[in-house]
Amino acid sequence: MKKRVILITGASSGIGFDTAQTLARQGHKVYAAARRVELMEPLRNDGVVPLRMDVTDEQSMQDGVDFVLNAEGRVDVLVNNAGYGFFGAIETVPMEEARRQLEVNVFGLARLCQLILPIMRKQGEGRIINTSSIAGKMVLLYGGWYHVSKYSVEAFSDALRMEMKPFGIDVSMIEPGGIKTDWGIIAARHLKESSIGTPYEKSAEFESEFFNSAYSGNYLSSPHVVTRAISRAVNSRRPKARYRIGRFSHLAVFFHWLLPARWWDALVRRFCRIKL
Ligand SMILES: NC(=O)c1ccc[n+]([C@@H]2O[C@H](COP(=O)([O-])OP(=O)(O)OC[C@H]3O[C@@H](n4cnc5c(N)ncnc54)[C@H](OP(=O)(O)O)[C@@H]3O)[C@@H](O)[C@H]2O)c1
Protein backbone atom coordinates (compact mmCIF):
# COMPACT_ATOMS: atom_id res chain seq x y z
CA MET A 1 0.00 0.00 0.00
CA LYS A 2 1.32 3.45 -0.94
CA LYS A 3 1.99 5.59 2.12
CA ARG A 4 0.12 8.88 1.77
CA VAL A 5 0.15 12.26 3.50
CA ILE A 6 -3.43 12.90 4.63
CA LEU A 7 -5.16 15.96 6.09
CA ILE A 8 -8.53 15.19 7.69
CA THR A 9 -10.91 17.72 9.25
CA GLY A 10 -13.50 17.07 11.94
CA ALA A 11 -11.11 14.62 13.61
CA SER A 12 -11.88 15.48 17.24
CA SER A 13 -14.80 13.04 17.42
CA GLY A 14 -17.01 10.49 15.67
CA ILE A 15 -16.19 9.57 12.09
CA GLY A 16 -13.14 11.83 11.78
CA PHE A 17 -11.46 10.53 14.94
CA ASP A 18 -11.97 6.90 13.96
CA THR A 19 -10.80 7.52 10.39
CA ALA A 20 -7.66 9.41 11.47
CA GLN A 21 -6.72 6.58 13.82
CA THR A 22 -7.38 3.82 11.27
CA LEU A 23 -5.51 5.53 8.41
CA ALA A 24 -2.52 6.16 10.70
CA ARG A 25 -2.53 2.50 11.76
CA GLN A 26 -2.45 1.55 8.07
CA GLY A 27 0.87 3.41 7.83
CA HIS A 28 -0.26 6.75 6.36
CA LYS A 29 1.00 10.08 7.75
CA VAL A 30 -2.13 11.69 9.13
CA TYR A 31 -2.71 15.33 10.14
CA ALA A 32 -5.95 15.63 12.10
CA ALA A 33 -7.74 19.00 12.30
CA ALA A 34 -10.53 20.38 14.51
CA ARG A 35 -11.16 23.18 16.98
CA ARG A 36 -11.08 20.99 20.12
CA VAL A 37 -7.45 20.03 19.71
CA GLU A 38 -7.29 18.49 23.19
CA LEU A 39 -9.71 15.72 22.15
CA MET A 40 -7.25 14.63 19.47
CA GLU A 41 -4.28 14.17 21.85
CA PRO A 42 -4.89 10.36 22.16
CA LEU A 43 -4.37 10.10 18.39
CA ARG A 44 -0.69 10.94 18.92
CA ASN A 45 -0.22 7.36 20.17
CA ASP A 46 -0.76 6.23 16.58
CA GLY A 47 1.51 8.92 15.09
CA VAL A 48 -1.27 11.33 14.13
CA VAL A 49 -0.42 15.05 14.33
CA PRO A 50 -3.32 17.12 15.74
CA LEU A 51 -3.85 20.63 14.32
CA ARG A 52 -6.12 23.33 15.68
CA MET A 53 -8.35 24.43 12.84
CA ASP A 54 -11.66 26.24 12.53
CA VAL A 55 -13.02 25.78 9.01
CA THR A 56 -14.81 29.13 9.25
CA ASP A 57 -11.51 30.92 9.83
CA GLU A 58 -9.38 31.66 6.76
CA GLN A 59 -6.13 32.10 8.67
CA SER A 60 -6.46 28.86 10.59
CA MET A 61 -7.13 26.89 7.38
CA GLN A 62 -4.17 28.55 5.64
CA ASP A 63 -1.91 27.85 8.66
CA GLY A 64 -3.00 24.19 8.78
CA VAL A 65 -2.27 23.59 5.10
CA ASP A 66 1.09 25.43 5.34
CA PHE A 67 2.03 23.34 8.38
CA VAL A 68 1.45 20.04 6.54
CA LEU A 69 3.22 21.27 3.41
CA ASN A 70 6.27 22.51 5.35
CA ALA A 71 6.51 19.24 7.28
CA GLU A 72 5.95 16.81 4.39
CA GLY A 73 6.50 18.77 1.18
CA ARG A 74 3.25 17.33 -0.20
CA VAL A 75 -0.40 16.60 0.54
CA ASP A 76 -1.78 13.45 -1.08
CA VAL A 77 -5.28 13.30 0.38
CA LEU A 78 -7.69 15.86 1.83
CA VAL A 79 -10.62 14.38 3.77
CA ASN A 80 -13.18 17.16 4.26
CA ASN A 81 -15.19 15.70 7.12
CA ALA A 82 -15.96 18.60 9.53
CA GLY A 83 -19.67 19.29 9.76
CA TYR A 84 -22.74 19.48 11.96
CA GLY A 85 -26.52 19.68 11.70
CA PHE A 86 -28.46 22.77 12.70
CA PHE A 87 -31.97 21.34 12.61
CA GLY A 88 -35.04 23.53 13.01
CA ALA A 89 -37.98 24.88 10.99
CA ILE A 90 -36.96 27.20 8.14
CA GLU A 91 -39.05 29.98 9.69
CA THR A 92 -37.41 29.81 13.09
CA VAL A 93 -33.73 29.07 12.45
CA PRO A 94 -31.99 32.46 12.71
CA MET A 95 -30.36 33.46 9.42
CA GLU A 96 -27.09 33.85 11.29
CA GLU A 97 -27.23 30.12 12.16
CA ALA A 98 -28.26 29.17 8.63
CA ARG A 99 -25.25 31.05 7.27
CA ARG A 100 -22.97 29.47 9.83
CA GLN A 101 -24.23 26.01 8.83
CA LEU A 102 -23.24 26.67 5.23
CA GLU A 103 -19.98 28.32 6.29
CA VAL A 104 -18.84 25.12 8.05
CA ASN A 105 -20.39 22.40 5.88
CA VAL A 106 -19.91 24.00 2.45
CA PHE A 107 -17.64 27.05 2.30
CA GLY A 108 -15.04 25.69 4.73
CA LEU A 109 -14.86 22.49 2.71
CA ALA A 110 -14.67 24.48 -0.53
CA ARG A 111 -11.95 26.81 0.75
CA LEU A 112 -9.78 23.90 1.89
CA CYS A 113 -10.09 22.43 -1.60
CA GLN A 114 -8.97 25.77 -3.06
CA LEU A 115 -5.95 25.86 -0.75
CA ILE A 116 -4.88 22.30 -1.52
CA LEU A 117 -5.63 21.95 -5.23
CA PRO A 118 -2.58 23.99 -6.39
CA ILE A 119 -0.37 21.64 -4.33
CA MET A 120 -2.00 18.54 -5.83
CA ARG A 121 -1.89 19.93 -9.37
CA LYS A 122 1.84 20.55 -8.98
CA GLN A 123 2.26 16.96 -7.71
CA GLY A 124 0.24 15.68 -10.70
CA GLU A 125 -1.89 13.60 -8.35
CA GLY A 126 -4.08 13.77 -5.27
CA ARG A 127 -7.39 12.81 -3.76
CA ILE A 128 -10.19 14.90 -2.30
CA ILE A 129 -12.73 13.01 -0.21
CA ASN A 130 -15.78 14.99 0.88
CA THR A 131 -18.12 13.73 3.59
CA SER A 132 -21.56 14.31 2.19
CA SER A 133 -24.57 12.35 3.48
CA ILE A 134 -27.77 10.70 2.34
CA ALA A 135 -29.06 14.10 3.53
CA GLY A 136 -27.72 15.31 0.17
CA LYS A 137 -30.11 12.91 -1.57
CA MET A 138 -33.32 13.11 0.47
CA VAL A 139 -35.01 15.56 2.82
CA LEU A 140 -36.38 15.15 6.33
CA LEU A 141 -38.68 17.46 8.23
CA TYR A 142 -36.89 20.36 10.00
CA GLY A 143 -33.59 19.47 8.33
CA GLY A 144 -33.86 22.30 5.76
CA TRP A 145 -30.56 24.10 6.19
CA TYR A 146 -28.59 20.92 6.81
CA HIS A 147 -30.00 19.42 3.62
CA VAL A 148 -29.18 22.62 1.73
CA SER A 149 -25.59 22.18 2.91
CA LYS A 150 -25.30 18.51 1.93
CA TYR A 151 -27.06 18.91 -1.45
CA SER A 152 -24.48 21.67 -2.03
CA VAL A 153 -21.61 19.33 -1.14
CA GLU A 154 -22.97 16.85 -3.71
CA ALA A 155 -23.15 19.44 -6.51
CA PHE A 156 -19.80 20.98 -5.56
CA SER A 157 -18.06 17.60 -5.54
CA ASP A 158 -19.56 16.51 -8.88
CA ALA A 159 -18.37 19.76 -10.46
CA LEU A 160 -14.91 19.47 -8.90
CA ARG A 161 -14.51 15.86 -10.05
CA MET A 162 -15.01 16.88 -13.68
CA GLU A 163 -12.65 19.85 -13.35
CA MET A 164 -9.89 17.82 -11.71
CA LYS A 165 -9.90 14.81 -14.03
CA PRO A 166 -7.23 16.23 -16.41
CA PHE A 167 -4.89 16.90 -13.46
CA GLY A 168 -4.92 13.37 -12.06
CA ILE A 169 -6.87 14.41 -8.95
CA ASP A 170 -9.72 12.12 -7.88
CA VAL A 171 -12.78 13.44 -6.05
CA SER A 172 -14.96 11.08 -4.00
CA MET A 173 -18.02 11.60 -1.83
CA ILE A 174 -18.90 9.63 1.25
CA GLU A 175 -22.66 9.35 1.76
CA PRO A 176 -23.37 7.89 5.21
CA GLY A 177 -26.82 7.19 6.58
CA GLY A 178 -27.36 7.48 10.34
CA ILE A 179 -24.05 6.86 12.13
CA LYS A 180 -23.80 6.66 15.91
CA THR A 181 -21.84 9.82 16.79
CA ASP A 182 -22.50 13.12 18.57
CA TRP A 183 -23.98 14.47 15.32
CA GLY A 184 -27.55 13.42 16.20
CA ILE A 185 -27.38 14.76 19.75
CA ILE A 186 -26.16 18.14 18.46
CA ALA A 187 -28.85 18.26 15.73
CA ALA A 188 -31.54 17.36 18.31
CA ARG A 189 -30.38 20.12 20.66
CA HIS A 190 -30.52 22.74 17.91
CA LEU A 191 -33.94 21.51 16.78
CA LYS A 192 -35.37 21.74 20.27
CA GLU A 193 -33.84 25.14 21.06
CA SER A 194 -34.89 26.77 17.78
CA SER A 195 -38.52 25.70 18.10
CA ILE A 196 -39.31 26.62 21.72
CA GLY A 197 -42.37 28.86 21.87
CA THR A 198 -43.12 28.46 18.15
CA PRO A 199 -45.97 26.61 16.37
CA TYR A 200 -43.42 23.87 15.54
CA GLU A 201 -42.51 23.14 19.14
CA LYS A 202 -44.51 19.94 19.63
CA SER A 203 -43.50 18.08 16.50
CA ALA A 204 -39.93 19.38 16.77
CA GLU A 205 -39.77 18.00 20.28
CA PHE A 206 -40.98 14.63 19.03
CA GLU A 207 -38.34 14.58 16.29
CA SER A 208 -35.59 15.71 18.62
CA GLU A 209 -36.48 12.95 21.10
CA PHE A 210 -36.38 10.48 18.22
CA PHE A 211 -32.88 11.71 17.29
CA ASN A 212 -31.73 11.47 20.90
CA SER A 213 -32.92 7.92 21.33
CA ALA A 214 -31.69 6.78 17.88
CA TYR A 215 -28.23 8.28 18.40
CA SER A 216 -27.84 6.90 21.90
CA GLY A 217 -29.21 3.44 21.06
CA ASN A 218 -27.69 0.58 19.10
CA TYR A 219 -29.63 0.69 15.82
CA LEU A 220 -27.35 2.99 13.89
CA SER A 221 -24.14 1.92 12.16
CA SER A 222 -20.82 2.53 13.88
CA PRO A 223 -18.41 5.22 12.63
CA HIS A 224 -16.09 2.40 11.59
CA VAL A 225 -18.41 1.60 8.68
CA VAL A 226 -17.69 5.08 7.32
CA THR A 227 -14.00 4.72 8.08
CA ARG A 228 -13.90 1.60 5.89
CA ALA A 229 -15.42 3.53 2.98
CA ILE A 230 -13.00 6.45 3.41
CA SER A 231 -10.16 3.95 3.62
CA ARG A 232 -11.25 2.44 0.28
CA ALA A 233 -11.38 5.92 -1.27
CA VAL A 234 -7.83 6.56 0.02
CA ASN A 235 -6.25 3.22 -0.88
CA SER A 236 -7.97 1.84 -3.95
CA ARG A 237 -6.36 2.22 -7.37
CA ARG A 238 -9.53 3.74 -8.87
CA PRO A 239 -11.61 5.41 -6.14
CA LYS A 240 -15.35 5.63 -6.78
CA ALA A 241 -17.22 8.92 -7.12
CA ARG A 242 -19.61 7.89 -4.32
CA TYR A 243 -19.59 5.57 -1.37
CA ARG A 244 -23.04 5.17 0.20
CA ILE A 245 -22.91 3.35 3.51
CA GLY A 246 -24.75 2.75 6.74
CA ARG A 247 -27.82 0.76 7.73
CA PHE A 248 -30.98 1.73 5.76
CA SER A 249 -29.10 4.36 3.71
CA HIS A 250 -29.83 2.72 0.32
CA LEU A 251 -33.42 2.01 1.31
CA ALA A 252 -34.11 5.59 2.42
CA VAL A 253 -32.68 7.12 -0.77
CA PHE A 254 -34.54 4.56 -2.90
CA PHE A 255 -37.90 5.38 -1.30
CA HIS A 256 -37.28 9.12 -1.61
CA TRP A 257 -36.59 8.57 -5.30
CA LEU A 258 -39.51 6.19 -5.82
CA LEU A 259 -42.34 7.94 -3.99
CA PRO A 260 -44.17 10.96 -5.40
CA ALA A 261 -43.18 14.04 -3.37
CA ARG A 262 -46.61 14.27 -1.72
CA TRP A 263 -46.37 10.68 -0.51
CA TRP A 264 -42.90 11.22 0.90
CA ASP A 265 -44.02 14.43 2.64
CA ALA A 266 -47.07 12.71 4.10
CA LEU A 267 -44.96 9.81 5.36
CA VAL A 268 -42.47 12.09 7.11
CA ARG A 269 -45.18 14.37 8.54
CA ARG A 270 -47.11 11.37 9.81
CA PHE A 271 -43.96 10.00 11.40
CA CYS A 272 -43.44 13.32 13.23
CA ARG A 273 -47.11 13.35 14.23
CA ILE A 274 -47.77 16.72 12.64
CA LYS A 275 -51.36 17.79 12.90
CA LEU A 276 -51.00 21.46 11.92
N1 LIG B 1 -23.42 10.86 12.20
C1 LIG B 1 -24.25 10.80 11.17
O1 LIG B 1 -25.37 10.25 11.27
C2 LIG B 1 -23.82 11.39 9.86
C3 LIG B 1 -24.50 10.97 8.71
C4 LIG B 1 -24.15 11.49 7.48
C5 LIG B 1 -23.12 12.42 7.40
N2 LIG B 1 -22.48 12.83 8.54
C6 LIG B 1 -21.40 13.82 8.38
O2 LIG B 1 -20.20 13.25 8.86
C7 LIG B 1 -19.31 14.31 9.26
C8 LIG B 1 -18.72 13.98 10.61
O3 LIG B 1 -19.75 14.01 11.58
P1 LIG B 1 -19.81 13.01 12.83
O4 LIG B 1 -21.01 12.17 12.66
O5 LIG B 1 -18.51 12.37 13.05
O6 LIG B 1 -20.16 14.08 13.99
P2 LIG B 1 -19.32 14.61 15.24
O7 LIG B 1 -18.86 13.46 16.06
O8 LIG B 1 -20.17 15.65 15.88
O9 LIG B 1 -18.03 15.29 14.58
C9 LIG B 1 -18.10 16.52 13.90
C10 LIG B 1 -16.69 17.05 13.70
O10 LIG B 1 -16.78 18.28 12.97
C11 LIG B 1 -15.95 19.23 13.60
N3 LIG B 1 -16.37 20.61 13.39
C12 LIG B 1 -17.60 21.14 13.60
N4 LIG B 1 -17.57 22.46 13.35
C13 LIG B 1 -16.29 22.76 12.99
C14 LIG B 1 -15.60 23.95 12.61
N5 LIG B 1 -16.22 25.14 12.57
N6 LIG B 1 -14.28 23.88 12.31
C15 LIG B 1 -13.63 22.71 12.35
N7 LIG B 1 -14.20 21.54 12.69
C16 LIG B 1 -15.52 21.59 13.01
C17 LIG B 1 -15.99 18.87 15.08
O11 LIG B 1 -14.78 19.31 15.73
P3 LIG B 1 -14.67 20.55 16.72
O12 LIG B 1 -16.03 20.79 17.32
O13 LIG B 1 -13.65 20.08 17.71
O14 LIG B 1 -14.17 21.64 15.86
C18 LIG B 1 -16.02 17.35 15.03
O15 LIG B 1 -14.70 16.83 15.00
C19 LIG B 1 -20.13 15.60 9.20
O16 LIG B 1 -19.83 16.28 7.99
C20 LIG B 1 -21.57 15.09 9.18
O17 LIG B 1 -22.46 16.01 8.57
C21 LIG B 1 -22.80 12.32 9.76
Side-chain angles (χ1 to χ4, degrees):
M1 187 194 304
K2 191 175 164 192
K3 181 183 165 180
R4 294 190 158 96
V5 175
I6 301 172
L7 171 61
I8 175 165
T9 66
S12 62
S13 76
I15 293 166
F17 187 96
D18 191 69
T19 301
Q21 188 169 57
T22 301
L23 293 175
R25 287 178 182 177
Q26 289 172 357
H28 298 295
K29 185 70 204 179
V30 178
Y31 289 81
R35 291 167 304 176
R36 293 169 296 170
V37 76
E38 68 286 354
L39 296 184
M40 299 186 288
E41 280 304 311
L43 290 170
R44 284 191 193 278
N45 296 333
D46 292 294
V48 173
V49 181
L51 298 175
R52 188 184 303 279
M53 186 187 290
D54 183 338
V55 298
T56 65
D57 177 42
E58 171 71 22
Q59 194 58 52
S60 98
M61 286 190 280
Q62 183 80 66
D63 290 348
V65 172
D66 288 349
F67 186 90
V68 181
L69 194 61
N70 288 337
E72 305 291 338
R74 58 187 296 117
V75 185
D76 298 309
V77 183
L78 167 65
V79 184
N80 267 315
N81 170 72
Y84 72 103
F86 200 110
F87 269 56
I90 303 272
E91 186 185 341
T92 62
V93 171
M95 283 312 291
E96 196 188 337
E97 293 296 352
R99 289 198 179 94
R100 188 170 163 71
Q101 173 81 113
L102 297 188
E103 206 56 58
V104 174
N105 292 9
V106 183
F107 296 116
L109 168 151
R111 183 61 187 138
L112 272 175
C113 289
Q114 286 187 335
L115 291 170
I116 278 188
L117 287 173
I119 301 167
M120 290 183 172
R121 269 194 301 101
K122 215 184 261 178
Q123 292 167 184
E125 60 175 353
R127 287 182 185 189
I128 307 272
I129 301 168
N130 291 332
T131 307
S132 177
S133 169
I134 61 165
K137 294 285 182 194
M138 47 152 265
V139 176
L140 294 177
L141 188 71
Y142 302 139
W145 288 112
Y146 181 66
H147 291 290
V148 167
S149 78
K150 292 300 185 183
Y151 271 74
S152 300
V153 170
E154 291 276 320
F156 175 89
S157 306
D158 278 334
L160 189 64
R161 193 179 58 254
M162 286 187 259
E163 291 174 21
M164 288 304 117
K165 182 76 183 159
F167 301 108
I169 299 168
D170 296 300
V171 179
S172 298
M173 270 171 272
I174 309 295
E175 298 175 339
I179 307 295
K180 191 172 150 77
T181 68
D182 291 346
W183 181 93
I185 310 297
I186 294 167
R189 194 180 67 227
H190 289 139
L191 174 55
K192 200 165 177 182
E193 284 170 7
S194 67
S195 64
I196 289 171
T198 76
Y200 310 100
E201 182 168 357
K202 229 171 157 195
S203 53
E205 195 172 322
F206 177 81
E207 189 174 311
S208 91
E209 270 165 27
F210 171 76
F211 270 132
N212 276 327
S213 76
Y215 278 81
S216 49
N218 290 319
Y219 289 112
L220 300 180
S221 303
S222 103
H224 208 62
V225 169
V226 187
T227 297
R228 278 204 293 272
I230 297 177
S231 172
R232 283 201 294 276
V234 168
N235 295 314
S236 68
R237 207 167 50 80
R238 288 190 58 200
K240 295 202 293 186
R242 290 184 159 74
Y243 295 84
R244 185 169 303 151
I245 59 264
R247 214 166 282 154
F248 310 126
S249 59
H250 288 278
L251 205 62
V253 175
F254 175 70
F255 273 114
H256 187 262
W257 168 81
L258 182 72
L259 295 179
R262 278 167 198 259
W263 288 27
W264 176 267
D265 296 354
L267 200 75
V268 173
R269 286 166 59 85
R270 175 166 234 187
F271 174 76
C272 287
R273 300 175 181 177
I274 290 213
K275 291 195 184 74
L276 292 174

